[in-house]
Amino acid sequence: MSEQGPIVIVGGGHAGAQLCHALAGAGLGAQVHLVCDEDELPYQRPPLSKAFLKDTQQAVQLHRAEPWFAEAGITLHRGDAVVSIDRAAHSVRLRSGAVLPYAQLVLATGAVARTLPALPVTLVNVAALRSATDALRLRGLLDTAQQVTVLGGGFIGLEIAATARALGKQVTVLESAPRLLSRSVSPDIAEHVLATHRASGIDLLLGVKVGDFNVEGDRLASLNIDGQPHAVELLVMGIGAAPRTQLALDAGLACDNGIVVDENLRTSDPTILAIGDCACFPEHGSGRRLRLESVQNANDQARTALATLTGQPAPYRALPWFWSEQGSLRLQMAGLMPADGVRHRRTGATPASFSILHYVGERLACVESVNAPLDHMAARKLLETGKSPAPAVACDPAVALKTLA
Ligand code: FAD
């Protein structure tokens, strides 16, 4: 072991797995301990609300097979969790009782699916989706249910709704906001998403107030929507996720909508980093604090963490991007939607394919694409290089966006 000393990573999700890969690439695998609360090897979460739910034969998609970790020299602690951090002693205690010393600690604890206190997922017909275990359970429930109610019209709720519809289920989505995806996409995209799901047969109710729940024995029997009872066969909660910060809070680290980190992803204790869904970081340029839940953010923050851990810090400046697959819709976003932008529409080859370009002044700030993957890839290049073609040029269907990138 080099003088750098042990690096303990807490959490084997996208961020933890990607950091293992980066550290192994830097020849530091033998110093790494990866502690994974879940029994599985690190796996991909996005398929869990999409292909995995549809096909009972599908297995979880692993980031790396088990021999890879051994060959990289990484010590895996599966089905075990870090329960406390002793910052003075530079060590963590695991649920199993083991104590691991660290020179540097990385918190990659992710997020948990939000649930409602009145609706425990222990009810046999209520589900939430975050982990492979949740997805296996939901897949079993979907197998027998004919009618599915999804609470929440966010990305994961809509992905589950589209998957259930593709399985032939009768699907109702209940959204309390007046429109879908209100925090994440523009009204243009939200309207298209709404129309597409409704055309596929999903019953989508906006601006609804969900009141009391009627539980009979171990089942949810119905819920009251705007004062009327709505019978429930299977309820899936898609009401967002909350960062897993308890470990950090207990250790006295600063937390505010996630574990607070600086641009090099160091927490309020410089020997401890936080990355991925659990980390709240300063946005380059604006300094406003962001917490993103995306594979891009987890992967890119793992790269930044490698730089910090190896003493060559490079601030986190990656372009945010995201995708969501909902039945026939492939949504892709590059950049963050500005509050004060002007929107321009770039039409695609069919009405089901287009992009919305957001400009702040003359600067291209964000591009949302629907079934237009080439636009998305070109947009990422444009945004990464800071190029801003004039809206009329960028929206000219005769000009391929990639030629401007
Ligand atoms: P996670 O992947 O949540 O991993 C955190 C891990 O830490 C978990 O395994 C947890 O059990 C473990 N852990 C927590 N506390 C401890 C502890 N004390 N000790 C040990 N282990 C601990 N993003 C996209 O960009 N596109 C998509 O289409 C998309 N689809 C998604 C679909 C679903 C169903 C879900 C749930 C997420 C999806 N996401 C998508 C989001 C993306 O998966 C997350 O942003 C990403 O997983 C974040 O990685 P992470 O490592 O920060 O957290």
Side-chain angles (χ1 to χ4, degrees), residues 9-18 34-50 53 63 77 79-84 93-95 107-113 129-132 134-135 155-156 159-160 241 244-248 275-279 291-299 301 321-325 330-331:
I9 305 171
V10 188
H14 279 266
Q18 186 64 35
L34 178 67
V35 187
C36 306
D37 197 3
E38 299 181 66
D39 291 333
E40 292 83 5
L41 285 166
Y43 61 87
Q44 309 271 352
R45 269 172 225 281
L48 298 181
S49 47
K50 308 170 184 91
L53 280 188
H63 284 281
H77 304 260
D80 206 347
V82 171
V83 291
S84 62
R93 180 172 292 277
L94 308 195
R95 193 165 50 207
L107 303 177
T109 50
V112 280
L129 178 56
R130 180 73 201 180
S131 65
D134 297 338
F155 285 118
I156 290 185
E159 289 184 359
I160 295 169
R244 283 179 83 162
T245 54
Q246 198 55 52
L247 191 63
I275 58 175
D277 282 15
C278 69
R291 191 180 68 78
L292 299 177
E293 293 172 9
S294 70
V295 167
Q296 167 279 317
N297 182 64
N299 287 345
Q301 289 200 339
W321 57 266
F322 184 78
W323 84 96
S324 172
E325 286 164 28
R330 184 168 176 84
L331 307 178

Side-chain angles (χ1 to χ4, degrees), residues 44-61 127-145 148 150 155-169 171 234 236-237 325-327:
Q44 309 271 352
R45 269 172 225 281
L48 298 181
S49 47
K50 308 170 184 91
F52 184 85
L53 280 188
K54 269 191 211 145
D55 180 0
T56 51
Q57 301 304 310
Q58 274 236 0
V60 289
Q61 291 175 27
L129 178 56
R130 180 73 201 180
S131 65
T133 306
D134 297 338
L136 262 179
R137 175 169 178 260
L138 180 56
R139 192 160 78 178
L141 291 169
L142 279 171
D143 199 30
T144 51
V148 182
V150 178
F155 285 118
I156 290 185
L158 293 174
E159 289 184 359
I160 295 169
T163 303
R165 187 68 198 127
L167 289 169
K169 313 296 172 185
V171 182
L234 168 61
V236 187
M237 277 183 279
E325 286 164 28
Q326 304 171 18

